[in-house]
Amino acid sequence: MSGQEDAANLLEVRGLTKIFGSLTACDHINLEIAKGEIHALLGENGAGKSTLVKMLFGSLEPYSGEIFWNGEPVRITSPGVAKKLGIGMVFQHFSLFEALTAAENIALSLDDGSPISSIAAKARALSYSYGLPLDPNSLVGDLSVGERQRIEIIRCLLQTPQLIILDEPTSVLTPQEADKLFETLLRLRDEGKSILYISHRLEEVKRICDRATVLRHGKVVGHCNPREETASSLARMMVGNEVQAVVREPAKGIEQAPVLLEVRNLSRRPATPFSIPLRDINLNVRAGEVIGIAGVAGNGQGEFFESISGEVRQQERASVRIRGKDAGDLSITGRRLLGAAFVPEERLGHGTASNMKLSENLLLTRHATDGKAFVGTGGSVRAGAIYTAAQRIIKEMDVRKSEPDPEAAALSGGNLQKFIVGRELDRNPAVMVVNQPTWGVDAGAAAHIRQALIELARRGSAVLIISQDLDELFEVSDSIAVMHNGTLSQPMPIAEASFEKIGLLMGGAETGHQEQTLETA
Amino acid sequence: MMRLELVKRPQRSVLFSMLSPFIAFVLTVIAGSIMFALLGVNPVKAFYTYFISPVTQVWQLHELAIKAAPLILIAVGLSVCYRANIWNIGAEGQFILGGIVGSIIPVMYPDFQSPVVLPLMLILGMVGGAAYAAIPAFLKARFNTNEILTSLMLVYVAQLLLDWMVRGPWRDPKGFNFPQTVLFSDAATLPQIFPDSGRANWGFVFALVAAVLVWILMSRMLKGFEVRVLGSSPRAGRFAGFSFNRMVFFAFMLSGALAGLAGISEVSGAIGQLQPSISPGYGFAAIIVAFLGRLNPLGIVAAGLVLGLTYLGGEAAQTALGVSDKVARVFQGMLLFFVLGCDTLIHYRIRLVGLMAAAPKAEEAH
């Protein structure tokens, strides 16, 4: 503690660099975090935020550069060292055992041999004092995502850290749960703790953060006070240029348009102990319309997508109807032949085969629908035709790549997603179902994809978008329905919808008692 | 202090995917030399005996073709399975069943002699192999059993079935109680390609044709695409609308049919009757051939010739050097071991890291 007098900064980072192969993930990063501030680390996906944080928490070793803690140079060689210094971290992807209780999970990471009962008591006391009520004896498997995050935060706080790092904490929370979290963070700050808050959500950064450091392509492009900036000026710093806003003309006369995708009393039993059953889902998507499905991750969206796409078939033929024809018992190929197209959430290994070329990945979803164009006599593949078609899609969607026909895994997430969406758009499908269209995609590519989906609808297709990003759904949807615990609410026209209302539904408020819930809330 | 570090390549290396079998071969030779030296045999002489002397005369090349033919035929079929990520280890059993079922006509109806006998035998051989392979395929598709175990265990069933057949119901009544069937008639014997210069039979031609056909299937046809997608990303394959269960049957029965064809070709071409043992482990050695040939049917032709050579070399070494013919098995094992090891180089490069060189910057901080 010798450098205490001159160390107004709790943590200071100078010239921190990390290189992966040919990629410089972090390039001479400078960062200062003062005591008692909430410091935002802003940047798009792939800007180097996670890499930087992993170096601060000791899970990655820096290539070069220095880290000062309370003014003294330190080497953080492992997460254990970071914890001893007083750095705690709440990860974006939780590391909890579902079959254990909250207290047992906390005990595992404390690693000091104190009995579970005393840990549980401490955790309970701490959780109530910070307004994060938590029952330490509940099984993690039974808890909601927001509650699981509380375990992570409590676990972190029990180690009395001076610096708490939170990686995208609100990406899995409802707006109401996020509000709760912000209160806790502000209280922690007032107690003199420092917080490094990683996010790409500009509004919340403006709301709670005192200072911000913006990263782009592994470099620091600026330090600023987010309260003095506008969301668009912050976005410009993150992206490097103005992102074109998505234009959505109001759809006209949709009520009269034919229903192209119809879901009737769709139910499904859980396939595994940890998956969600679908309960009596009904939905109509009309020609020309974009319907968004909001919901916190893990409320049945994946199961719903599988059932609509036909990766899992239904017993009831009429539970899914595409362009007026029963499709419930059809395979995914059969549904594609009826004019439907699907984009799954996972890009590598589901939407594409990662070690195959883009042209081969084009064949993946279109070998049946474009059979004549792509498959010749006796089942031979027309390599020239799929290559030409792949190049057409690459050009149309502005897919950036280093060689003419690279393997899917060689593309960045955003560019691969543009290709996957473009692959289906190129068919001009009558029904398009997309799960998480822009998850992990940079802002420029996301705008491109969203615009393309809106235009597809306006040309007369039915578009269904499942997303956990409310901003995105409000940008593209004509109506928004909410999925919660395997049920789907009535779609709410966008003119009537608000973050507040959708957020309540995401948290499980019943559709019928909406007004009432609002009053009590 | 130095340490080796494996660094993942951004993309698979085409260069090392070609070089890896050759590096593996060199490493096998080095390890083999050490082994020979320990056995007290001059390694240079040993390698000459093993790999050069068996191919110095034309008739020996015919022998090589006889050994390589079943290896190539089986390995080509296995390559389809392995590309689909389906682990058929039971080709030896499918080979034997092909031999048994293909022999039904010459053993049970020895008087039926016509030009259609041979084609019928070959077809029956393929049917026998495919049907036997359908057992582990069914068990996997229906009950999700581990096909490695079921297909392997069925090998022993097949071996004992053959043993019982030639000692029991199919024993040659005029064979002085030797455990073997009647000798096949000329109509039931696979002809030699060039009878003037050696014994090689049409089995080798079948192997080459099968290699080319499967190569076309895998690289040019939608079915081959389906195999590759389901093998590398099963979830993407399901998304494409391909059925994994159907692929299990396709891959198993295709490889079973080719192993069965190899079996009946061996019985009717090289042996001329059924005996208690009709294979010196071709079905297992073919696994090595498949990987040594990079699961590429054309590469497998070359790899089959190399492995065939280890069989001939083993025989030569037994007579010329007096070492056990089990040494051939040791060579085959080392070759597979090194091939699989060298495959790491396709996805990773090796970096030498001096611990001293990496540390100083951090040391200053203390």
Side-chain angles (χ1 to χ4, degrees):
Chain A
M1 296 286 147
S2 58
Q4 211 167 12
E5 307 88 73
D6 57 313
N9 287 330
L10 179 67
L11 180 88
E12 195 176 335
V13 166
R14 281 189 215 141
L16 209 59
T17 301
K18 179 73 192 178
I19 298 173
F20 295 112
S22 59
L23 175 82
T24 308
C26 284
D27 190 357
H28 293 91
I29 303 277
N30 294 327
L31 175 71
E32 291 167 6
I33 300 175
K35 285 177 183 153
E37 74 163 349
I38 302 184
H39 194 112
L41 190 58
L42 278 171
E44 290 197 286
N45 290 289
K49 294 174 303 206
S50 295
T51 308
L52 173 59
V53 165
K54 279 183 189 152
M55 289 192 285
L56 295 182
F57 195 60
S59 19
L60 280 178
E61 204 182 338
Y63 182 81
S64 67
E66 295 164 299
I67 301 175
F68 297 88
W69 181 255
N70 278 321
E72 282 187 40
V74 286
R75 270 185 79 201
I76 304 174
T77 47
S78 75
V81 174
K83 279 180 197 166
K84 269 196 203 112
L85 284 174
I87 300 177
M89 174 139 186
V90 177
F91 287 95
Q92 184 178 9
H93 301 287
F94 307 147
S95 43
L96 298 171
F97 293 97
E98 298 204 337
L100 298 183
T101 66
E104 285 165 341
N105 268 291
I106 292 172
L108 273 174
S109 68
L110 288 184
D111 200 25
D112 60 356
S114 43
I116 301 261
S117 58
S118 81
I119 290 174
K122 265 196 260 175
R124 190 190 303 271
L126 199 63
S127 71
Y128 282 94
S129 77
Y130 281 104
L132 298 169
L134 174 74
D135 176 8
N137 298 318
S138 48
L139 276 182
V140 171
D142 299 335
L143 298 179
S144 74
V145 185
E147 289 169 311
R148 292 183 197 198
Q149 189 181 48
R150 282 180 204 167
I151 303 177
E152 290 270 3
I153 293 174
I154 300 291
R155 170 154 95 175
C156 174
L157 290 178
L158 274 176
Q159 292 155 356
T160 56
Q162 297 173 54
L163 172 67
I164 301 163
I165 304 173
L166 292 136
D167 192 358
E168 303 264 357
T170 56
S171 60
V172 292
L173 301 183
T174 66
Q176 286 81 5
E177 284 175 318
D179 283 343
K180 263 250 148 71
L181 175 70
F182 295 154
E183 280 171 33
T184 310
L185 295 184
L186 291 173
R187 250 192 80 187
L188 285 168
R189 179 192 66 182
D190 295 340
E191 288 172 10
K193 298 200 191 299
S194 304
I195 292 166
L196 181 60
Y197 189 88
I198 302 166
S199 183
H200 63 256
R201 296 193 176 179
L202 304 171
E203 287 303 333
E204 57 190 45
V205 167
K206 270 173 66 64
R207 191 167 143 199
I208 63 162
C209 296
D210 307 302
R211 279 203 295 164
T213 296
V214 185
L215 292 187
R216 186 165 78 227
H217 300 314
K219 291 195 175 107
V220 173
V221 291
H223 302 279
C224 64
N225 180 344
R227 298 208 173 88
E228 293 165 3
E229 304 285 330
T230 63
S232 72
S233 70
L234 285 174
R236 208 161 36 236
M237 281 176 86
M238 270 167 60
V239 181
N241 53 27
E242 203 84 39
V243 174
Q244 208 153 17
V246 173
V247 187
R248 188 176 60 84
E249 300 271 323
K252 291 182 208 85
I254 278 179
E255 298 75 23
Q256 280 80 47
V259 175
L260 295 184
L261 175 67
E262 204 177 339
V263 183
R264 283 283 152 269
N265 307 326
L266 172 68
S267 294
R268 189 181 151 197
R269 274 195 219 94
T272 68
F274 292 110
S275 64
I276 304 285
L278 297 179
R279 305 169 212 266
D280 200 28
I281 290 176
N282 287 289
L283 183 70
N284 284 339
V285 191
R286 293 174 188 276
E289 177 178 44
V290 180
I291 290 195
I293 294 188
V296 177
N299 269 289
Q301 292 97 327
E303 289 81 358
F304 180 62
F305 179 84
E306 277 181 342
S307 306
I308 300 291
S309 69
E311 283 173 282
V312 174
R313 301 186 205 187
Q314 289 79 46
Q315 304 273 322
E316 287 295 318
R317 294 187 63 222
S319 60
V320 177
R321 291 167 59 84
I322 293 168
R323 288 168 74 201
K325 295 199 179 67
D326 289 347
D329 60 340
L330 292 183
S331 67
I332 188 166
T333 302
R335 298 184 196 198
R336 285 196 180 112
L337 288 170
L338 284 177
F342 309 98
V343 175
E345 177 178 1
E346 287 288 325
R347 285 187 278 273
L348 287 174
H350 191 178
T352 60
S354 44
N355 57 355
M356 290 196 168
K357 293 173 175 169
L358 289 186
S359 58
E360 292 178 299
N361 272 304
L362 171 67
L363 196 60
L364 195 71
T365 61
R366 293 180 54 181
H367 57 90
T369 52
D370 299 66
K372 286 210 184 76
F374 296 154
V375 182
T377 44
S380 63
V381 172
R382 291 182 198 274
I386 57 170
Y387 181 83
T388 315
Q391 296 304 318
R392 180 173 73 224
I393 292 162
I394 286 167
K395 192 153 166 262
E396 181 68 29
M397 294 302 286
D398 186 28
V399 177
R400 316 231 172 111
K401 67 232 172 354
S402 51
E403 42 186 308
D405 195 8
E407 290 178 3
L411 261 61
S412 75
N415 281 307
L416 183 58
Q417 186 70 0
K418 282 195 275 187
F419 179 81
I420 294 174
V421 173
R423 172 176 74 185
E424 308 305 329
L425 291 175
D426 184 62
R427 260 178 68 202
N428 240 326
V431 173
M432 178 91 163
V433 182
V434 190
N435 193 2
Q436 297 278 53
T438 62
W439 174 80
V441 170
D442 62 85
H448 193 134
I449 290 170
R450 290 171 191 163
Q451 192 68 56
L453 289 172
I454 293 171
E455 278 163 19
L456 176 72
R458 295 301 179 259
R459 288 198 302 270
S461 302
V463 177
L464 182 63
I465 295 176
I466 304 167
S467 176
Q468 281 143 46
D469 184 344
L470 274 186
D471 293 316
E472 166 170 273
L473 289 178
F474 274 84
E475 209 170 299
V476 299
S477 312
D478 298 310
S479 313
I480 298 180
V482 176
M483 186 154 251
H484 175 76
N485 198 15
T487 62
L488 189 69
S489 76
Q490 279 295 320
M492 191 184 289
I494 196 77
E496 298 166 23
S498 67
F499 269 53
E500 198 68 40
K501 289 183 191 167
I502 299 295
L504 281 172
L505 290 171
M506 283 164 69
E510 281 188 38
T511 335
H513 304 294
Q514 203 176 309
E515 314 297 309
Q516 206 184 332
T517 328
L518 266 177
E519 277 159 30
T520 51
Chain B
M1 273 289 285
M2 299 282 271
R3 71 191 153 105
L4 289 174
E5 228 179 46
L6 289 178
V7 183
K8 195 153 174 42
R9 297 175 193 273
Q11 276 192 310
R12 66 197 299 274
S13 160
V14 178
L15 175 71
F16 276 98
S17 116
M18 311 272 272
L19 277 183
S20 136
F22 295 98
I23 301 174
F25 190 75
V26 171
L27 288 172
T28 306
V29 168
I30 294 171
S33 302
I34 296 170
M35 180 182 74
F36 280 125
L38 290 174
L39 285 171
V41 180
N42 178 357
V44 177
K45 191 177 169 217
F47 276 104
Y48 179 82
T49 315
Y50 245 93
F51 293 112
I52 311 289
S53 75
V55 285
T56 43
Q57 283 169 321
V58 175
W59 69 267
Q60 289 177 313
L61 291 176
H62 279 261
E63 293 303 312
L64 180 59
I66 289 175
K67 294 283 186 227
L71 290 172
I72 295 169
L73 260 177
I74 300 169
V76 161
L78 289 180
S79 74
V80 175
C81 278
Y82 298 162
R83 281 290 195 91
N85 209 5
I86 293 164
W87 299 95
N88 179 4
I89 309 296
E92 181 84 358
Q94 293 140 26
F95 177 94
I96 292 171
L97 257 285
I100 295 175
V101 177
S103 303
I104 288 174
I105 297 175
V107 173
M108 300 181 73
Y109 309 99
D111 301 328
F112 175 40
Q113 296 190 6
S114 107
V116 300
V117 167
L118 199 57
L120 276 177
M121 286 168 61
L122 296 176
I123 290 168
L124 280 174
M126 292 170 78
V127 169
Y132 204 57
I135 300 172
F138 171 78
L139 292 174
K140 180 169 180 67
R142 184 74 181 76
F143 302 110
N144 198 23
T145 52
N146 184 327
E147 75 275 20
I148 299 177
L149 290 176
T150 53
S151 63
L152 178 63
M153 290 190 294
L154 282 166
V155 170
Y156 308 116
V157 176
Q159 285 171 341
L160 293 171
L161 175 69
L162 173 65
D163 195 77
W164 173 71
M165 294 290 277
V166 296
R167 290 177 203 278
W170 279 12
R171 191 176 54 196
D172 181 2
K174 296 174 210 137
F176 309 103
N177 258 348
F178 278 107
Q180 55 198 24
T181 63
V182 291
L183 272 173
F184 292 1
S185 64
D186 283 349
T189 301
L190 201 58
Q192 294 165 358
I193 313 172
F194 304 112
D196 296 339
S197 60
R199 300 197 307 135
N201 59 49
W202 280 82
F204 191 65
V205 177
F206 297 159
L208 296 182
V209 170
V212 171
L213 288 180
V214 170
W215 180 76
I216 292 173
L217 174 84
M218 291 301 288
S219 61
R220 298 280 183 272
M221 311 291 275
L222 190 61
K223 195 73 191 172
F225 176 72
E226 190 180 331
V227 172
R228 288 184 288 132
V229 172
L230 282 170
S232 67
S233 335
R235 196 132 181 250
R238 198 176 63 161
F239 183 64
F242 301 142
S243 155
F244 185 72
N245 278 352
R246 256 180 293 164
M247 179 52 61
V248 169
F249 277 99
F250 174 80
F252 255 108
M253 292 178 72
L254 177 70
S255 68
L258 288 175
L261 179 62
I264 187 58
S265 301
E266 179 74 7
V267 170
S268 102
I271 306 175
Q273 65 188 156
L274 280 179
Q275 299 168 347
S277 168
I278 57 172
S279 161
Y282 286 136
F284 294 116
I287 298 170
I288 306 169
V289 173
F291 279 100
L292 193 61
R294 306 249 50 95
L295 300 184
N296 175 331
L298 303 184
I300 284 170
V301 173
L305 291 169
V306 171
L307 256 280
L309 197 52
T310 63
Y311 278 110
L312 295 182
E315 289 168 12
Q318 203 174 10
T319 49
L321 305 173
V323 297
S324 160
D325 68 340
K326 293 285 184 290
V327 171
R329 294 286 184 90
V330 176
F331 265 121
Q332 293 169 359
M334 286 197 296
L335 205 49
L336 180 65
F337 177 83
F338 285 121
V339 167
L340 296 180
C342 289
D343 275 2
T344 312
L345 293 172
I346 299 172
H347 292 287
Y348 294 87
R349 66 196 164 80
I350 294 177
R351 200 172 62 166
L352 267 179
V353 186
L355 285 180
M356 292 306 152
K361 196 155 261 157
E363 293 299 330
E364 281 165 23
H366 273 290

